[in-house]
Amino acid sequence: MPGQKRIVILTSLTGGGHLSLAEALRDLLTSAWGSQVAITITDPQPQIVGWHYRMVSRYALRLWSAEFALLDSPKRARLAQRAFARLTRRALDATLDAAAPDLVISTYPFFSYVAFEALRRHGERPLALLLSDPDHVHATWLAERRAAVTLAPTRETYQQARAAGFASVRLLLSGWPVRGQFLATSATPEAAQAERERTLTALGLDPSRFTLFLQGGGEGSAHAGRSIASARAVSGAQVILAAGSNRELLARYQGVPSVAALPYTANIAPYMAAADVIMGKAGPNTLFEAVMLGKPFIATTYIPGQESPNLAFIQRHGLGWVALTAAQRHTLLARLVRTGEALDAMSASVNAYRQWNLQATASIAPALRALLESHPASRASTEGG
């Protein structure tokens, strides 16, 4: 289509967080620009990278934590970026040759250096980075400061990027984007309540009972069994379990009283919206998806090192609770079921952050449009059709 902007979003299919961010940007820009933009999401990493992540995240979290900490220094981060570039340069060049993008965005830190260098060889197209940490920015993100714009999703990451030397004119406090389905909320509280009742009834659950949504599938270990046991031990509580692609987990809880086990579904937001709280591993995307639905989050576990700072972030901004032991979860859930005051107070602070995040993410599309319109190579590409 003449005049259509071509955007490539580089991400990593390891886990799900980087991909969720890529999809969130795709949804946001498509909503803002419609047919004026063509977006491709791709991961040009060799398959061994994904295999390594699956193995260590499931069976060797201490090794993953050690690797994360090892690279979290400026010197080692720069060395790692250059080593990674050797693995991906050829595939990335092929991707850029085929797509001829006007803009490249990366939601994965290891693509920042290699993408910038590749774009220098492909007509100086602009690069945008979206930092994928809400509280502690890993050094692999901070090692590359030459991008045309860097999106810092929280106040904390913005300040860390500034302290690391990112130029303020190329740094945007962007908020944390979420996929479009988490923004499609009901127009009125009455409509939301009616939708909740329909969803819970269809799942065989009681709309009058306290409901928690548990994200139990995906990569890594969310200790779903322990969290479900804590919930079922509290009278009046019921669970929506998102088992994802974990067939063993799905089979284990099929037909269990007060538990509705869901297989993988791309449209998960309605089920989260039907719950009173969201419970699970302290991954940032699930956390912000809960925030944008106005739901408090209960962190039950985390990936050491990588997700440890998220616990303090949750508590600092009043986005929910941290309950890492069975005793803590039982006590918390019993209190939430018994009285609505604690839930109401936390919901109020969640909604305050939700409003700030909505305003911040509204700046992303205009900033990227301005970048494309001001960049000579992208402007020439558009003018030439």
Side-chain angles (χ1 to χ4, degrees), residues 92-301:
L92 183 55
D93 279 342
T95 295
L96 298 180
D97 285 338
D102 300 291
L103 169 67
V104 172
I105 306 173
S106 176
T107 68
Y108 184 56
F110 283 105
F111 283 130
S112 54
Y113 169 78
V114 66
F116 184 87
E117 292 298 323
L119 287 167
R120 292 178 65 179
R121 301 190 297 272
H122 286 78
E124 298 286 348
R125 297 300 196 267
L127 172 68
L129 307 179
L130 172 57
L131 307 180
S132 58
D133 300 314
D135 192 80
H136 170 74
V137 183
H138 195 267
T140 49
W141 273 123
L142 302 176
E144 180 53 70
R145 301 190 290 273
R146 297 174 294 173
V149 64
T150 297
L151 308 178
T154 65
R155 301 176 184 92
E156 289 86 346
T157 56
Y158 183 89
Q159 292 300 326
Q160 289 170 54
R162 287 290 293 124
F166 282 68
S168 59
V169 294
R170 291 187 282 117
L171 184 64
L172 176 68
L173 179 56
S174 66
W176 194 284
V178 298
R179 291 171 287 173
Q181 61 179 288
F182 295 96
L183 300 174
T185 55
S186 300
T188 65
E190 293 77 14
Q193 179 61 25
E195 181 63 26
R196 165 191 159 86
E197 292 179 1
R198 285 193 293 270
T199 300
L200 294 179
T201 300
L203 292 173
L205 298 177
D206 183 352
S208 68
R209 294 178 66 181
F210 180 89
T211 305
L212 63 90
F213 177 96
L214 175 63
Q215 187 69 268
E219 302 286 2
S221 173
H223 304 302
R226 302 175 193 174
S227 296
I228 292 173
S230 297
R232 295 189 68 219
V234 175
S235 177
Q238 59 188 6
V239 180
I240 301 173
L241 169 64
S245 58
N246 190 328
R247 295 181 180 179
E248 181 180 347
L249 188 65
L250 180 65
R252 179 180 175 187
Y253 287 101
Q254 287 285 1
V256 173
S258 300
V259 178
L262 299 175
Y264 171 79
T265 175
N267 190 31
I268 197 67
Y271 300 103
M272 294 174 66
D276 295 290
V277 296
I278 311 300
M279 175 184 282
K281 186 170 69 68
N285 285 289
T286 303
L287 169 63
F288 279 96
E289 288 165 356
V291 167
M292 298 313 291
L293 290 172
K295 305 295 179 178
F297 188 85
I298 302 175
T300 60
T301 187

Side-chain angles (χ1 to χ4, degrees), residues 10-28:
L10 301 174
T11 192
S12 174
L13 299 182
T14 55
H18 298 292
L19 177 59
S20 290
L21 276 177
E23 292 173 340
L25 285 173
R26 177 201 60 199
D27 291 354
L28 186 153

